Amino acid sequence: MATLSDIGVSALINILSAFAFLLAFALLRIQPINDRVYFPKWYINGARTSPRSSRNFVGKFVNLNFKTYFTFLNWMPQAMRMSESEIINHAGLDSAVFLRIYILGLKIFVPIAVIALLLLIPVNVSNGTLSFLKKELVTSEIDKLSISNVRPKSIRFFIHIGLEYLFTFWTCFMLYKEYDYVASMRLNFLASQQRRAEQFTVVVRNVPHISGRSTSDSIDHFFQTNHPDHYLCHQAVYNANKFAKLARKRDRLQNWLDYNQLKFERHPDKRPTSKTGFLGLWGARVDSIEYYKKQIKELDRRMTMERQKIIKDTKSILPVAFVSFKSRWGAAVCAQTQQSKNPTLWLTNWAPEPRDIYWRNLAIPFVSLSIRKLVISLLVFALVFFYMIPIAFVQSLANLEGLERVAPFLRPVIELKFIKSFLQGFLPGLALKIFLYILPTVLMIMSKIEGHIALSTLERKAAAKYYFFMLVNVFLGSIVTGTAFEQLDAFLHQSPTQIPRTIGVSIPMKATFFITYIMIDGWAGIAGEILRLKPLVIFHLKNMFLVKTERDREKAMDPGSVDFPETLPSLQLYFLLGLVYAVVTPILLPFILIFFALAYLVYRHQIINVYNQQYESAAAFWPQVHSRIIASLLISQLLLMGLLSTKKAANSTPLLVILPILTLSFHKYCKNRFEPAFRKYPLEEAKAKDSADQSSESDLKAYLADAYLHPIFQSFEEEQEEMVEVRVDKHQTHIASPPSEPSSTSPSNYVHHPPSPPQYVHRPPSPPQYVYHSSPPHYEYDQSSPAHYVYAAPPSPPRYIYHHHEEH
């Protein structure tokens, strides 16, 4: 059992580690060579340029302005300068609401910590029951500050029960206010958005096969019949996984071609050459530029053939489509109603925004989704119990006194003072952190296998699995296995009737392990997050060995985004620990408060300067956050009831029975009151938006035509000099193509398909295209300071620029 001395060693190691990480970050961020690592968000927004371009040779790598070294901590006030509304405009609602979770943690636990420390610690310390049990149980000084130190049948348990009621009511009050506020933020955010493709589009799955009709004709006929006044067009979905592989290969070849062309421009007297064998180590030496041009030309031919094969082969068309409507109201009615008397056919839901779609899963047959979910559920269940083995090993490190009784031959090594303090105070939390490192990636792969079609949904499902894992293994598993190791000798030498009493006393004793875990994960881990050591090393390695073009440099920058599958469950674990131990061992609360404050500051900086979110879900994850904090309240109440039952507190324990019932009633009320704002779109809001947006049908059709075209098709189009446009009326498809090529039919309603390689033939001019341009960034950087935010003008509304294609 870790002592105060062991906790002190752990605290010293983690405080020094956190300080070293923060100091290293403060110095590294002001160096010009690291600018793209620590400020990639501003590069992506176009509001920052490289400071290396206007400096001398040494100044390109090292900051020679020594005044900035005396203000290297100014990132802290700068991170707090941007208001919440400015963060929403700059980084999106998801990022702003994510930060509110840390604010919610501080609002809940600051008053709880003050009351618990002032009232409960004196009550616990002054009773001294553990002094009579120290020969039977492994205890430490911290346990004397917990409820374990209160004598059985003591009247003091009424104070613990009263505070449990108080803490529950305070937590529910703050949860209600926050849910109300976040729901209002979401509705205001959706109401303030300009015209977006997902506002008019639903995704339709499990389209039935009708004999004599193509999938596209079936979709067109169904929606023309059932939504005649609002149906506009649809985008068929193709199984383009093979085409995607060719597109990735072409991208690599194009990168090599760009590199060799730049190399030739710098040294025009010598054309670059390379060998055609494996990794350029052997084979015939050829002209690199001509070689890659030839390779790209051949690949373009193969891609064109594959594209034509996809379009003509009816088996490539999936029973999935993105259906667009003339109004938001029409889309809302379709997305939120049952379309067929058979509830397994024509399944409709709101389409994710185009960048949120996980295209690969659209090819999964709908009938296999239930089987996939069942298999993954069984695998997650098995994984949870498989991880009990390393968790038990970690607990054996945390409880050396209990282990010595079983393996006395380890005593000479364990009894060395520094080794013992290191093993008990630092190593258990570090070992647990290492064991958990790969788990989020594994759970994300499992969620992808389940078949979800939106990245946001994938991340929420992976977060749910990780939370279940953290609850069972990290929290309950640490208590159970820790108890077994600690009290092993007592279990073997006492009557079975005494075992429940031993477990009840031992539960609060795990606070020492969780304190070490909070310091490693919540202090040093968060400080390591802002340092970005892994992205820093990878960026410079890529810059040295792989970066050949400016496009490579942009990819090497890779700012990433908030890691919701890992961060949200970890956050919810801290809520669980704080609520469980607020009454049991309140000395743990200050460690949690330091975590919430430091993490809020760090993630605020990262969201402003680093992260570039892949998608915007408008805070769709908040109902899960609320539900898991409610679950933490219920767990804390049930554990306190079990703990008091071992203390023979028969007079006071029944008073807790009503508390879980009240908590569940509160949760049900919040679910009915606020959750519909996160699941459905009010028709009233949709109608109001339609009235304010007077767009013509032709403009809307042009805007939605290729909004949900597969991104590899779009990238292929961008590589070409011209675009082939496919138009579909109710009965027939016409493709603008050279006269010598036969016209091919497509099951798409109004879509753009990737063109074949450019040919020098006469083509009729294509009609006008309206291209969406997003508004400029709201905030700009002052180049004179490493991170000074300048507020720019409000964004202009979306503009649609007329593009005219000339004849070839």
Side-chain angles (χ1 to χ4, degrees), residues 77-324:
Q78 287 171 356
M80 301 300 297
R81 186 174 300 166
M82 198 177 274
S83 68
E84 186 175 77
S85 60
E86 293 170 350
I87 289 178
I88 292 174
N89 291 330
H90 176 67
L93 184 63
D94 281 345
S95 298
V97 172
F98 171 73
L99 291 176
R100 291 203 64 84
I101 304 177
Y102 295 97
I103 297 175
L104 177 63
L106 292 173
K107 287 180 178 179
I108 290 175
F109 288 114
V110 167
I112 288 178
V114 172
I115 294 173
L117 293 174
L118 292 179
L119 294 182
L120 286 181
I121 287 186
V123 170
N124 295 336
V125 169
S126 59
N127 218 235
T129 189
L130 287 180
S131 60
F132 299 99
L133 298 173
K134 61 183 179 181
K135 294 182 180 180
E136 304 175 31
L137 299 170
V138 180
T139 64
S140 72
E141 294 91 336
I142 289 181
D143 296 324
K144 296 176 183 178
L145 305 177
S146 72
I147 196 174
S148 297
N149 202 39
V150 180
R151 294 178 183 273
K153 301 183 180 180
S154 174
I155 197 173
R156 301 185 182 205
F157 288 126
F158 284 103
I159 299 177
H160 296 84
I161 293 174
L163 288 181
E164 181 70 15
Y165 269 89
L166 178 63
F167 295 163
T168 298
F169 290 156
W170 171 251
T171 302
C172 290
F173 173 70
M174 295 309 304
L175 283 173
Y176 178 85
K177 289 188 64 177
E178 200 66 24
Y179 213 154
D180 187 22
Y181 184 75
V182 173
S184 299
M185 289 176 67
R186 175 181 168 87
L187 291 176
N188 292 335
F189 178 78
L190 294 175
S192 64
Q193 281 186 315
Q194 301 293 337
R195 185 172 66 176
R196 297 172 65 88
E198 63 270 18
Q199 297 171 352
F200 299 87
T201 308
V202 300
V203 58
V204 184
R205 305 192 75 176
N206 210 24
V207 176
H209 174 71
I210 299 176
S211 179
R213 283 184 179 170
S214 66
T215 302
S216 183
D217 289 338
S218 298
I219 295 169
D220 190 70
H221 179 266
F222 181 86
F223 285 96
Q224 288 283 10
T225 302
N226 296 286
H227 300 269
D229 298 328
H230 300 282
Y231 172 64
L232 179 65
C233 60
H234 74 270
Q235 170 67 68
V237 178
Y238 299 90
N239 186 353
N241 291 339
K242 183 177 180 181
F243 190 93
K245 294 180 181 179
L246 295 175
R248 288 192 293 268
K249 183 176 180 181
R250 188 190 191 283
D251 189 60
R252 290 194 297 269
L253 292 173
Q254 183 65 47
N255 212 39
W256 278 108
L257 177 61
D258 293 343
Y259 166 69
N260 283 283
Q261 287 177 334
L262 288 173
K263 188 176 180 181
F264 182 61
E265 289 175 4
R266 293 170 186 164
H267 305 283
D269 55 329
K270 182 180 179 182
R271 290 186 67 86
T273 60
S274 60
K275 293 183 178 180
T276 58
F278 179 71
L279 294 178
L281 298 178
W282 57 73
R285 183 169 293 276
V286 295
D287 184 290
S288 297
I289 295 176
E290 295 301 324
Y291 174 75
Y292 286 113
K293 282 183 177 180
K294 183 178 179 181
Q295 291 288 315
I296 291 173
K297 184 177 179 181
E298 173 61 23
L299 201 58
D300 282 342
R301 186 188 65 80
R302 291 175 58 191
M303 290 176 69
T304 301
M305 294 176 61
E306 179 64 24
R307 178 184 62 85
Q308 294 295 335
K309 179 181 176 182
I310 291 172
I311 293 173
K312 295 177 181 179
D313 187 3
T314 56
K315 294 181 180 179
S316 297
I317 306 170
L318 302 174
V320 183
F322 294 98
V323 179
S324 298

Side-chain angles (χ1 to χ4, degrees), residues 585-597:
T585 310
I587 195 64
L588 180 139
L589 292 176
F591 296 90
I592 289 181
L593 288 178
I594 293 173
F595 159 75
F596 277 116

Side-chain angles (χ1 to χ4, degrees), residues 10-77:
S10 177
L12 178 63
I13 294 174
N14 286 288
I15 289 172
L16 291 178
S17 299
F19 180 77
F21 289 153
L22 293 174
L23 181 63
F25 160 73
L27 296 176
L28 289 172
R29 67 186 283 274
I30 61 177
Q31 308 305 321
I33 195 173
N34 300 326
D35 204 60
R36 289 180 180 269
V37 178
Y38 293 109
F39 303 102
K41 177 75 173 178
W42 299 100
Y43 281 91
I44 293 172
N45 287 349
R48 188 177 179 91
T49 57
S50 176
R52 304 180 68 191
S53 57
S54 58
R55 305 192 181 194
N56 56 36
F57 180 77
V58 177
K60 291 180 183 292
F61 301 94
V62 181
N63 186 355
L64 300 178
N65 183 4
F66 294 101
K67 292 182 180 179
T68 59
Y69 288 92
F70 296 101
T71 59
F72 63 90
L73 293 179
N74 65 354
W75 67 270
M76 295 183 180

Side-chain angles (χ1 to χ4, degrees), residues 420-703:
K420 185 175 182 179
S421 296
F422 178 78
L423 289 177
Q424 289 191 323
F426 181 75
L427 190 59
L430 179 62
L432 181 59
K433 182 72 176 173
I434 293 172
F435 279 125
L436 296 178
Y437 181 76
I438 195 175
L439 192 63
T441 303
V442 174
L443 296 177
M444 175 57 80
I445 294 173
M446 288 183 171
S447 297
K448 290 179 179 179
I449 295 173
E450 282 183 319
H452 305 289
I453 64 171
L455 293 173
S456 55
T457 306
L458 284 172
E459 294 197 345
R460 289 199 297 273
K461 294 298 182 181
K465 295 179 180 67
Y466 194 38
Y467 172 75
F468 176 71
F469 180 90
M470 299 280 277
L471 174 64
V472 174
N473 278 24
V474 177
F475 181 69
L476 297 177
S478 294
I479 290 175
V480 173
T481 56
T483 299
F485 275 91
E486 269 178 35
Q487 319 307 339
L488 186 58
D489 184 67
F491 287 158
L492 296 176
H493 297 90
Q494 67 181 352
S495 64
T497 58
Q498 296 298 311
I499 291 178
R501 173 176 171 270
T502 304
I503 295 176
V505 175
S506 301
I507 288 175
M509 294 180 185
K510 293 312 301 173
T512 54
F513 167 75
F514 288 121
I515 286 173
T516 62
Y517 179 77
I518 291 169
M519 287 189 290
I520 291 174
D521 182 68
W523 295 9
I526 291 297
E529 164 67 28
I530 200 172
L531 179 59
R532 305 197 78 221
L533 185 60
K534 180 181 174 182
L536 177 69
V537 172
I538 291 176
F539 173 78
H540 287 303
L541 287 176
K542 286 184 176 179
N543 216 24
M544 291 173 60
F545 301 108
L546 300 178
V547 170
K548 298 176 285 295
T549 64
E550 191 62 28
R551 182 169 53 179
D552 283 347
R553 187 168 286 107
E554 295 294 329
K555 290 181 180 179
M557 191 166 59
D558 189 22
S561 58
V562 178
D563 191 6
F564 288 125
E566 181 177 3
T567 308
L568 287 181
S570 299
L571 254 175
Q572 289 146 9
L573 175 66
Y574 287 105
F575 277 98
L576 175 63
L577 293 176
L579 292 171
V580 167
Y581 283 99
V583 174
V584 175
T585 310
I587 195 64
L588 180 139
L589 292 176
F591 296 90
I592 289 181
L593 288 178
I594 293 173
F595 159 75
F596 277 116
L598 179 61
Y600 175 69
L601 183 65
V602 166
Y603 277 108
R604 215 175 196 277
H605 174 275
Q606 299 296 81
I607 284 171
I608 292 173
N609 297 301
V610 179
Y611 294 144
N612 185 45
Q613 288 302 112
Q614 288 182 281
Y615 58 83
E616 176 59 61
S617 70
F621 56 83
W622 188 261
Q624 286 79 22
V625 173
H626 176 89
S627 298
R628 286 162 197 161
I629 296 177
I630 291 292
S632 301
L633 274 175
L634 292 171
I635 292 170
S636 69
Q637 295 158 7
L638 295 175
L639 286 181
L640 184 60
M641 290 173 61
L643 179 59
L644 292 180
S645 67
T646 66
K647 289 287 193 175
K648 302 178 181 179
N651 295 329
S652 55
T653 303
L655 296 176
L656 281 173
V657 174
I658 192 66
L659 199 53
I661 299 175
L662 294 175
T663 305
L664 286 172
S665 300
F666 167 77
H667 175 58
K668 184 177 181 181
Y669 171 78
C670 288
K671 187 179 181 69
N672 294 332
R673 170 65 178 84
F674 299 116
E675 191 167 324
F678 295 84
R679 298 288 178 262
K680 299 178 181 178
Y681 187 50
L683 295 180
E684 180 184 18
E685 292 287 327
K687 196 68 175 179
K689 286 285 289 182
D690 289 333
S691 300
D693 181 17
Q694 299 294 335
S695 299
S696 66
E697 182 178 331
S698 59
D699 288 350
L700 187 60
K701 194 169 186 178
Y703 175 62

